[in-house]
Amino acid sequence: MEKPVLETATLAFHDTGLLPQLQAAPDDVLDALNFGVIGFDTDGVVRRYNAWESRAAGLSLPRVIGHALFTVVAPCMNNFMVAQRFEDAAAVGEPLDAVIDYVLTLRMRPVKVKLRLLAQPGQAMRYVLVERPS
Amino acid sequence: MSESQDEFEALLQFLYLAPVGLVQTRLDGEVLMINPLCVQLLLPLARDGELGNLFAALQGLAPDLALRVAGFEAGQGKVCEGLLLPVTAGVPGERTARVLSLTLLKLDGQRLMGVLDDVSLQVERERELRHSRSWIQTLLDGITDYALMALDAEGRVASWNPGIGRLTRHAQATLVGQGFADLYPPDDGRRAHAADRLREADACGWSLDEGWLQRADGGRFWASSLIAPLHDSADAPPADRGYSLIVRDISDRRETHEALRRSMTCDQLTGLANRRAFFERAECERQRCMRSGQPLALVLVDADPAQALHDSLGQAADEAVLRHLAAGLSASFRVGDVLARLGGETFVALLPGTSVDDAAGVAARLCRHLASHAVTVDGHAIACTVSAGVAALGPGADDLDALLARAEAALQAAKAPGCSRVCCWQAGLQPHPEPAAAR
């Protein structure tokens, strides 16, 4: 008998209602995505890091998981455009869902990307998604 | 993971975490490699978030970088070291100015290496340290000729010793009782501001100046003069107040000092003051005007969009136009006004003792001058015009950053309808917010 083909809806960068889907998705689903996913807790410690991001930045998981995102893993995001926005949203207890143009230094090359910042009050995990325009 | 892969990752992370901005570029400024802190420092400055070219990203702070690199003839070496780039002026004693420091190294015939750092706190500390440094320098330098004299509360020379006679060639009778301003050459603008030096000494603890002084026989010498209060506080009654004045002949330092001063304080292309020099002079004038209650106006001048003909003539035309605009500024503004190139095509003039309306009149004179004098490049006459925004020190704008913001808002209002226009700041004018990525 043929194995039934499992239909897994692939998550897309611009999907609405993305945050809970990311939360629920297991690591192998995140690893199959064609954009970067960084999940971090309220202390700013990285808890989830998908394969796309790992390849783009050139950093393997042990160097990243358990380390502070904005000081150790992605210091270029430690400013009013990214890190501050998470803090501001948490301070007023509002959800955050914003897409911004940004420049990352993946492997020391300036790379224009789109970042999507996702956070929900009450949710332990916040996400930064990284899309590289094709 | 293989050992070399692990080493590679370790090196990557080493660079990711480096606490200074590092960037490698081609000689034309095109970015080859850049680390996160450098992006962190540049992103808020770069127009439209463009970080493909270092010189373009720093246009607003150091518009003459490309020229400095082009003028650096050696095959390798330091093009500039610790070049200070003020982002904001701050308020001395209240709000720290935001200052970046740039060091550019030419690696070889194709590549530059840049180190960019935020030195705001160091600059603040340095400013506070300069007081003790200037005193120590007075004592420790190989002083060949100096004079120490006491001044009374009004700055008149109150004491005499042979050293004063040797340096100034004055006799006791001709100098004691005279104001120290008599030491300045007759046509020197500093004569009028002599009392300000006493006020500065009261406020900051010292007043240091370098420039020409004149001897009794009419001969000039390049001198450093330091004034410090002898009384404990500015509230001391006039009978108890006095100052010490130390004058040193530093003629031998003048050549090197002049060359270094020009390199650090002048824009290489136009010869006008550069951004850093402007911020320093402007702060002095601002404090002077706050103390004396005189008005202070600021005119921000921006080149109107270039015409098609200009575009086709390339970089030589750009440079000729900028030099032409600078010359127009020098011709239209007055001797006491502070002129500077603030950014790529942006110039600024500070007009002490001038109201908004008078400043607008001078700006209008500039527009008329430029409208009637074209610049010629390669036989083509290029008409270039500017627009200007005018603002004055006053309630709501009593520091440099606020003054510049108002002038910027007025400038944008002037540009909106067309060319060659002057607009004065009015309540309700706001500068347009820049797009998020460019902030």
Side-chain angles (χ1 to χ4, degrees):
Chain A
M1 191 161 79
E2 281 185 15
K3 262 168 99 172
V5 173
L6 283 170
E7 302 246 1
T8 42
T10 312
L11 304 172
F13 184 84
H14 289 285
D15 279 354
T16 48
L18 190 52
L19 180 55
Q21 293 188 17
L22 288 172
Q23 235 344 65
D27 287 348
D28 56 347
V29 169
L30 293 189
D31 283 342
L33 297 174
N34 65 352
F35 55 91
V37 176
I38 311 172
F40 58 105
D41 61 24
T42 49
D43 293 325
V45 177
V46 177
R47 298 293 173 202
R48 311 191 74 185
Y49 196 75
N50 76 340
W52 189 100
E53 187 58 33
S54 177
R55 267 192 311 270
L59 296 176
S60 56
L61 257 65
R63 288 197 183 272
V64 173
I65 302 284
H67 293 280
L69 173 63
F70 293 117
T71 49
V72 174
V73 179
C76 62
M77 295 192 200
N78 191 10
N79 55 33
F80 67 89
M81 288 181 267
V82 184
Q84 191 64 41
R85 294 195 68 170
F86 282 100
E87 282 183 39
D88 291 347
V92 298
E94 284 191 5
L96 174 63
D97 187 347
V99 175
I100 61 171
D101 291 318
Y102 208 71
V103 176
L104 290 182
T105 49
L106 301 170
R107 298 165 185 265
M108 288 348 122
R109 313 267 162 186
V111 181
K112 285 181 143 179
V113 297
K114 284 201 189 294
L115 294 184
R116 188 168 176 190
L117 314 182
L118 289 169
Q120 187 75 22
Q123 287 270 18
M125 291 278 279
R126 306 159 178 185
Y127 286 87
V128 173
L129 311 182
V130 183
E131 180 184 66
R132 219 159 150 162
S134 40
Chain B
M1 190 197 316
S2 68
E3 213 180 288
S4 67
Q5 174 71 16
D6 194 41
E7 250 187 68
F8 175 68
E9 275 198 32
L11 282 171
L12 266 188
Q13 204 164 43
F14 180 67
L15 285 171
Y16 280 144
L17 299 179
V20 291
L22 296 167
V23 61
Q24 196 177 102
T25 73
R26 293 196 209 280
L27 290 191
D28 64 0
E30 182 197 331
V31 172
L32 297 170
M33 284 193 277
I34 185 166
N35 81 335
L37 192 62
C38 202
V39 167
Q40 170 88 318
L41 293 172
L42 288 177
L43 206 56
L45 307 170
R47 208 166 294 186
D48 306 327
E50 274 300 326
L51 289 183
N53 188 298
L54 180 67
F55 301 155
L58 290 174
Q59 261 290 292
L61 296 186
D64 57 354
L65 275 183
L67 208 63
R68 282 179 188 256
V69 170
F72 189 82
E73 283 161 3
Q76 55 160 71
K78 274 189 197 149
V79 176
C80 64
E81 180 167 14
L83 190 66
L84 292 183
L85 311 173
V87 181
T88 64
V91 179
E94 274 175 47
R95 197 173 66 231
T96 313
R98 177 122 195 282
V99 185
L100 301 182
S101 162
L102 175 71
T103 296
L104 270 183
L105 301 163
K106 184 172 177 180
L107 297 179
D108 55 36
Q110 286 87 42
R111 296 172 304 168
L112 297 169
M113 185 91 191
V115 181
L116 193 63
D117 203 4
D118 187 326
V119 292
S120 310
L121 287 178
Q122 282 104 297
V123 167
E124 179 70 18
R125 277 198 296 267
E126 174 84 0
R127 202 182 59 84
E128 289 160 13
L129 275 174
R130 258 184 271 162
H131 178 187
S132 12
R133 271 222 198 116
S134 61
W135 276 107
I136 292 168
Q137 203 168 327
T138 309
L139 297 170
L140 296 183
D141 271 3
I143 302 161
T144 51
D145 218 348
Y146 75 99
L148 167 63
M149 54 191 100
L151 306 175
D152 68 10
E154 270 80 54
R156 287 184 291 253
V157 178
S159 68
W160 185 253
N161 58 59
I164 301 176
R166 263 200 313 272
L167 187 67
T168 65
R169 312 272 165 85
H170 273 284
Q172 180 166 359
T174 56
L175 194 58
V176 174
Q178 302 301 112
F180 77 90
D182 280 5
L183 292 172
Y184 291 124
D187 55 349
D188 195 315
R190 290 172 298 163
R191 275 197 172 215
H193 293 311
D196 288 341
R197 290 200 61 191
L198 301 180
R199 302 291 83 77
E200 191 187 352
D202 284 330
C204 309
W206 52 288
S207 164
L208 186 64
D209 188 36
E210 207 167 306
W212 294 113
L213 291 185
Q214 183 165 285
R215 288 189 249 267
D217 58 8
R220 295 190 312 168
F221 64 104
W222 190 256
S224 158
S225 62
L226 173 69
I227 297 179
L230 290 172
H231 45 269
D232 281 333
S233 84
D235 304 324
D240 295 346
R241 284 163 64 166
Y243 302 85
S244 67
L245 166 64
I246 300 181
V247 177
R248 289 187 299 140
D249 184 331
I250 53 169
S251 305
D252 54 339
R253 280 204 353 224
R254 189 175 166 256
E255 274 310 306
T256 20
H257 177 266
E258 266 307 291
L260 184 64
R261 190 192 65 84
R262 259 196 301 278
S263 159
M264 298 298 278
T265 61
C266 290
D267 171 69
Q268 306 282 63
L269 178 67
T270 60
L272 295 180
N274 65 9
R275 193 181 168 95
R276 182 204 172 182
F278 174 75
F279 274 58
E280 286 189 359
R281 280 285 311 269
E283 181 53 34
C284 272
E285 292 294 341
R286 184 191 74 90
Q287 288 185 8
R288 184 175 287 152
C289 287
M290 301 276 273
R291 279 198 299 270
S292 62
Q294 282 206 307
L296 181 67
L298 186 140
V299 179
L300 204 57
V301 175
D302 217 47
D304 288 327
Q307 275 107 48
L309 178 63
H310 167 183
D311 278 341
S312 68
L313 289 175
Q315 181 159 349
D318 286 344
E319 292 183 358
V321 167
L322 287 169
R323 275 196 286 258
H324 176 75
L325 292 179
L329 275 155
S330 298
S332 312
F333 284 85
R334 306 131 340 153
V335 168
D337 300 336
V338 184
L339 302 176
R341 184 181 177 197
L342 211 58
E345 292 185 334
T346 307
F347 297 85
V348 65
L350 194 72
L351 296 82
T354 310
S355 69
V356 169
D357 293 325
D358 289 341
V362 182
R365 190 164 71 212
L366 170 70
C367 290
R368 283 195 303 275
H369 174 97
L370 288 173
S372 56
H373 294 77
V375 63
T376 311
V377 179
D378 281 352
H380 298 279
I382 303 176
C384 31
T385 58
V386 295
S387 294
V390 187
L393 214 59
D398 54 11
D399 64 73
L400 269 178
D401 291 325
L403 190 56
L404 278 165
R406 283 193 175 180
E408 175 69 43
L411 176 64
Q412 288 178 1
K415 275 179 167 302
C419 299
S420 218
R421 292 176 58 94
V422 178
C423 177
C424 298
W425 184 87
Q426 289 155 19
L429 274 182
Q430 294 285 342
H432 303 147
E434 291 176 57
R439 233 182 294 122

Coordinates of all heavy atoms in Angstrom, one line a residue, chain A residues 12-19 22 35-36 38 40 70 77 80-89 94-102 113-121 126-131, chain B residues 436-437 439:
Chain A
A12 N 5.0 30.8 4.9 CA 5.6 31.8 4.0 C 5.9 33.1 4.9 O 5.2 33.4 5.8 CB 4.7 32.2 2.8
F13 N 6.9 33.8 4.5 CA 7.4 35.0 5.2 C 6.3 36.0 5.5 O 6.2 36.5 6.6 CB 8.5 35.7 4.4 CG 9.2 36.9 5.1 CD1 10.2 36.7 6.0 CD2 8.8 38.2 4.8 CE1 10.8 37.8 6.6 CE2 9.4 39.3 5.4 CZ 10.4 39.0 6.3
H14 N 5.4 36.2 4.5 CA 4.4 37.3 4.7 C 3.0 36.7 5.2 O 2.1 37.5 5.3 CB 4.2 38.0 3.4 CG 5.3 38.9 3.0 ND1 5.6 40.1 3.7 CD2 6.3 38.7 2.1 CE1 6.7 40.6 3.2 NE2 7.1 39.9 2.2
D15 N 2.9 35.5 5.6 CA 1.7 34.9 6.1 C 1.1 35.7 7.2 O 1.8 36.1 8.1 CB 1.9 33.5 6.5 CG 1.9 32.5 5.3 OD1 1.6 32.9 4.2 OD2 2.2 31.3 5.5
T16 N -0.2 35.8 7.3 CA -0.9 36.4 8.5 C -0.9 35.2 9.5 O -0.9 34.1 9.2 CB -2.3 36.9 8.2 OG1 -3.0 35.9 7.4 CG2 -2.2 38.2 7.4
G17 N -1.1 35.6 10.8 CA -1.2 34.6 11.8 C 0.0 33.7 11.9 O -0.1 32.5 12.2
L18 N 1.2 34.3 11.6 CA 2.4 33.4 11.4 C 3.0 33.0 12.8 O 3.5 31.9 13.0 CB 3.5 34.2 10.6 CG 4.7 33.4 10.2 CD1 4.3 32.1 9.4 CD2 5.5 34.2 9.2
L19 N 2.9 33.9 13.8 CA 3.5 33.6 15.1 C 3.1 32.3 15.7 O 4.0 31.5 16.0 CB 3.3 34.8 16.0 CG 4.0 34.7 17.4 CD1 5.5 34.4 17.3 CD2 3.8 36.0 18.2
L22 N 4.6 29.4 13.8 CA 6.0 29.1 14.0 C 6.2 28.4 15.3 O 7.0 27.5 15.5 CB 6.7 30.5 14.0 CG 6.9 31.2 12.7 CD1 7.5 32.6 12.9 CD2 7.8 30.4 11.7
F35 N 13.4 31.1 4.4 CA 13.8 32.3 5.0 C 14.3 32.0 6.5 O 14.1 30.9 7.0 CB 12.6 33.3 5.1 CG 11.4 32.8 5.7 CD1 11.2 33.0 7.1 CD2 10.4 32.2 5.0 CE1 10.0 32.5 7.7 CE2 9.3 31.7 5.6 CZ 9.0 31.9 7.0
G36 N 15.0 32.9 7.0 CA 15.7 32.7 8.3 C 14.7 32.9 9.5 O 13.8 33.7 9.4
I38 N 14.7 33.1 13.7 CA 15.4 33.2 15.0 C 14.3 33.4 16.1 O 13.6 34.4 16.1 CB 16.4 34.3 15.1 CG1 17.3 34.4 13.9 CG2 17.2 34.2 16.4 CD1 18.2 35.6 13.8
F40 N 13.6 33.7 20.1 CA 14.3 34.1 21.4 C 13.3 34.3 22.5 O 12.2 34.7 22.2 CB 15.3 35.2 21.2 CG 14.7 36.5 20.7 CD1 14.4 37.6 21.6 CD2 14.3 36.7 19.4 CE1 13.9 38.7 21.1 CE2 13.7 37.8 18.9 CZ 13.5 38.9 19.8
F70 N 20.9 39.8 21.0 CA 21.3 41.1 20.6 C 22.7 41.5 21.0 O 23.2 42.6 20.5 CB 20.3 42.2 21.1 CG 18.9 42.0 20.5 CD1 17.8 41.7 21.2 CD2 18.7 42.1 19.1 CE1 16.6 41.5 20.7 CE2 17.5 41.9 18.5 CZ 16.4 41.6 19.3
M77 N 21.6 44.1 15.3 CA 20.2 44.4 15.4 C 19.9 45.0 16.8 O 18.8 45.3 17.1 CB 19.4 43.0 15.4 CG 19.4 42.3 14.1 SD 18.2 41.0 14.1 CE 18.8 40.0 12.8
F80 N 17.5 50.9 17.8 CA 16.1 51.3 17.9 C 15.3 50.7 16.8 O 14.1 50.6 16.9 CB 16.0 52.8 17.9 CG 16.4 53.5 16.6 CD1 15.4 53.6 15.6 CD2 17.7 53.9 16.3 CE1 15.8 54.2 14.4 CE2 18.0 54.4 15.1 CZ 17.1 54.6 14.1
M81 N 15.9 50.2 15.8 CA 15.1 49.6 14.7 C 14.6 48.2 14.9 O 13.6 47.8 14.4 CB 15.9 49.7 13.3 CG 16.1 51.1 12.8 SD 17.0 51.1 11.3 CE 18.6 51.4 11.9
V82 N 15.4 47.5 15.7 CA 15.0 46.1 16.0 C 14.8 45.8 17.5 O 13.7 45.7 18.0 CB 16.0 45.1 15.4 CG1 15.5 43.7 15.6 CG2 16.2 45.4 13.9
A83 N 15.9 45.7 18.2 CA 15.8 45.3 19.6 C 14.9 46.2 20.4 O 14.0 45.8 21.2 CB 17.2 45.4 20.3
Q84 N 15.0 47.6 20.2 CA 14.2 48.5 20.9 C 12.7 48.3 20.7 O 11.9 48.5 21.6 CB 14.5 49.9 20.5 CG 14.0 51.0 21.3 CD 14.5 51.0 22.7 OE1 15.7 50.7 22.9 NE2 13.7 51.1 23.7
R85 N 12.3 47.9 19.4 CA 10.9 47.7 19.1 C 10.3 46.6 19.9 O 9.1 46.6 20.3 CB 10.7 47.5 17.6 CG 11.1 48.7 16.8 CD 10.7 48.7 15.4 NE 9.2 48.7 15.3 CZ 8.6 48.9 14.2 NH1 9.3 49.0 13.0 NH2 7.3 48.9 14.1
F86 N 11.1 45.5 20.2 CA 10.5 44.4 21.0 C 10.3 44.9 22.4 O 9.3 44.6 23.0 CB 11.5 43.2 21.0 CG 11.5 42.4 19.7 CD1 12.4 42.6 18.7 CD2 10.5 41.5 19.6 CE1 12.3 41.8 17.6 CE2 10.4 40.7 18.4 CZ 11.3 40.8 17.4
E87 N 11.3 45.7 22.9 CA 11.2 46.2 24.3 C 10.0 47.1 24.4 O 9.2 47.1 25.4 CB 12.4 46.9 24.7 CG 13.6 46.0 25.0 CD 14.8 46.8 25.5 OE1 14.6 47.8 26.2 OE2 15.9 46.4 25.1
D88 N 9.8 48.0 23.4 CA 8.7 49.0 23.5 C 7.4 48.3 23.5 O 6.5 48.6 24.2 CB 8.8 50.0 22.3 CG 10.0 50.9 22.4 OD1 10.6 51.0 23.5 OD2 10.3 51.6 21.4
A89 N 7.2 47.3 22.6 CA 6.0 46.5 22.5 C 5.7 45.8 23.8 O 4.5 45.8 24.3 CB 6.0 45.5 21.3
E94 N 1.7 45.3 24.0 CA 1.0 45.2 22.6 C 1.7 44.2 21.8 O 2.9 44.0 21.9 CB 1.0 46.6 22.0 CG 0.0 47.5 22.6 CD -0.3 48.8 21.8 OE1 0.4 48.9 20.7 OE2 -1.0 49.6 22.2
P95 N 1.0 43.6 20.8 CA 1.6 42.7 19.9 C 2.5 43.5 18.9 O 2.3 44.7 18.7 CB 0.5 42.0 19.2 CG -0.7 43.0 19.3 CD -0.5 43.7 20.6
L96 N 3.5 42.8 18.4 CA 4.4 43.4 17.4 C 4.4 42.5 16.2 O 4.6 41.3 16.2 CB 5.8 43.5 18.0 CG 6.9 44.0 17.1 CD1 6.7 45.4 16.6 CD2 8.3 43.9 17.8
D97 N 4.1 43.2 15.0 CA 4.2 42.5 13.7 C 4.6 43.5 12.7 O 3.8 44.3 12.2 CB 2.9 41.8 13.4 CG 3.0 41.0 12.1 OD1 4.1 41.0 11.4 OD2 2.1 40.2 11.8
A98 N 5.9 43.6 12.5 CA 6.4 44.7 11.6 C 7.4 44.1 10.6 O 8.2 43.3 11.0 CB 7.0 45.8 12.4
V99 N 7.4 44.6 9.4 CA 8.3 44.2 8.4 C 9.2 45.5 8.1 O 8.6 46.5 7.8 CB 7.7 43.8 7.1 CG1 8.7 43.5 6.0 CG2 6.9 42.5 7.3
I100 N 10.5 45.4 8.2 CA 11.3 46.5 7.9 C 12.5 46.1 6.9 O 12.9 45.0 6.9 CB 12.0 47.1 9.2 CG1 12.9 46.0 9.9 CG2 10.9 47.6 10.2 CD1 13.7 46.6 11.0
D101 N 12.9 47.2 6.2 CA 14.1 47.0 5.3 C 15.3 47.1 6.2 O 15.4 48.0 7.1 CB 14.1 48.1 4.3 CG 13.1 47.9 3.2 OD1 12.8 46.8 2.8 OD2 12.5 48.9 2.9
Y102 N 16.3 46.3 6.0 CA 17.5 46.3 6.9 C 18.7 45.8 6.1 O 18.6 45.4 5.0 CB 17.2 45.3 8.1 CG 18.0 45.7 9.3 CD1 17.6 46.9 10.0 CD2 19.0 45.0 9.8 CE1 18.3 47.2 11.2 CE2 19.7 45.3 10.9 CZ 19.3 46.5 11.6 OH 20.0 46.8 12.7
V113 N 18.1 43.0 3.4 CA 17.1 42.0 3.7 C 15.8 42.7 4.1 O 15.8 43.9 4.3 CB 17.6 41.1 4.9 CG1 18.9 40.3 4.5 CG2 17.8 41.9 6.1
K114 N 14.8 41.9 4.3 CA 13.6 42.3 5.0 C 13.6 41.5 6.3 O 13.8 40.3 6.3 CB 12.3 42.0 4.2 CG 12.2 43.0 3.0 CD 10.7 43.1 2.6 CE 10.6 43.9 1.3 NZ 10.9 45.4 1.5
L115 N 13.3 42.3 7.4 CA 13.2 41.6 8.7 C 11.7 41.7 9.0 O 11.0 42.7 8.8 CB 14.0 42.3 9.8 CG 15.5 42.3 9.7 CD1 16.0 43.0 10.9 CD2 16.1 40.9 9.5
R116 N 11.2 40.6 9.6 CA 9.8 40.6 10.2 C 10.0 40.4 11.7 O 10.6 39.4 12.1 CB 8.9 39.6 9.5 CG 7.5 39.8 10.0 CD 6.5 38.9 9.1 NE 5.2 39.0 9.6 CZ 4.2 38.3 9.2 NH1 4.4 37.3 8.3 NH2 3.0 38.4 9.7
L117 N 9.4 41.3 12.5 CA 9.6 41.2 13.9 C 8.2 40.8 14.4 O 7.2 41.4 14.2 CB 9.9 42.6 14.5 CG 11.0 43.4 13.8 CD1 11.3 44.7 14.5 CD2 12.3 42.6 13.7
L118 N 8.2 39.7 15.2 CA 7.0 39.1 15.7 C 7.0 38.9 17.2 O 8.0 38.3 17.7 CB 6.7 37.7 15.0 CG 6.3 37.8 13.6 CD1 6.3 36.3 13.0 CD2 4.9 38.3 13.4
A119 N 6.0 39.4 17.9 CA 5.9 39.2 19.3 C 4.5 39.3 19.7 O 3.7 40.0 19.2 CB 6.8 40.2 20.1
Q120 N 4.1 38.6 20.8 CA 2.7 38.6 21.3 C 2.8 38.7 22.8 O 3.6 37.8 23.4 CB 2.0 37.4 20.9 CG 0.5 37.3 21.2 CD -0.3 38.2 20.3 OE1 0.1 38.5 19.2 NE2 -1.4 38.6 20.7
P121 N 2.2 39.6 23.5 CA 2.3 39.7 24.9 C 1.7 38.3 25.5 O 0.7 37.8 25.0 CB 1.3 40.8 25.3 CG 1.0 41.5 24.1 CD 1.3 40.7 22.9
R126 N 9.7 35.2 21.1 CA 9.6 36.2 20.0 C 10.4 35.8 18.8 O 11.3 34.9 19.0 CB 10.1 37.5 20.6 CG 9.5 37.9 21.9 CD 10.3 38.9 22.6 NE 9.6 39.3 23.9 CZ 10.1 40.2 24.7 NH1 11.2 40.8 24.4 NH2 9.4 40.5 25.8
Y127 N 10.1 36.3 17.7 CA 10.7 35.9 16.5 C 11.2 37.0 15.6 O 10.6 38.1 15.5 CB 9.8 35.0 15.6 CG 9.6 33.6 16.2 CD1 8.6 33.4 17.1 CD2 10.4 32.5 15.8 CE1 8.4 32.2 17.7 CE2 10.2 31.3 16.4 CZ 9.1 31.1 17.3 OH 8.9 29.8 17.9
V128 N 12.4 36.8 15.1 CA 12.9 37.7 14.0 C 13.0 36.8 12.8 O 13.7 35.8 12.8 CB 14.3 38.3 14.3 CG1 14.8 39.1 13.1 CG2 14.2 39.3 15.5
L129 N 12.4 37.2 11.7 CA 12.5 36.4 10.4 C 13.3 37.2 9.4 O 13.2 38.5 9.4 CB 11.1 36.2 9.8 CG 10.0 35.6 10.8 CD1 8.7 35.4 10.1 CD2 10.5 34.4 11.5
V130 N 14.1 36.5 8.6 CA 15.0 37.2 7.7 C 14.7 36.7 6.3 O 14.9 35.5 6.0 CB 16.5 36.9 8.1 CG1 17.4 37.6 7.1 CG2 16.8 37.2 9.5
E131 N 14.3 37.7 5.4 CA 14.1 37.3 4.0 C 15.1 38.0 3.1 O 15.2 39.2 3.2 CB 12.7 37.6 3.6 CG 12.4 37.2 2.2 CD 11.0 37.6 1.7 OE1 10.7 38.8 1.6 OE2 10.2 36.7 1.4
Chain B
A436 N 12.3 54.9 7.3 CA 12.8 54.1 8.4 C 14.2 53.6 8.2 O 15.1 53.7 9.0 CB 11.9 53.0 8.7
A437 N 14.5 53.1 7.0 CA 15.8 52.4 6.8 C 16.9 53.4 6.7 O 18.0 53.0 7.0 CB 15.7 51.6 5.5
R439 N 17.2 56.1 8.7 CA 17.4 56.8 10.0 C 18.6 56.2 10.7 O 18.9 55.0 10.7 CB 16.2 56.6 10.9 CG 15.7 58.0 11.4 CD 14.5 57.9 12.3 NE 13.3 57.4 11.7 CZ 12.6 56.4 12.1 NH1 13.1 55.6 13.0 NH2 11.5 56.0 11.5

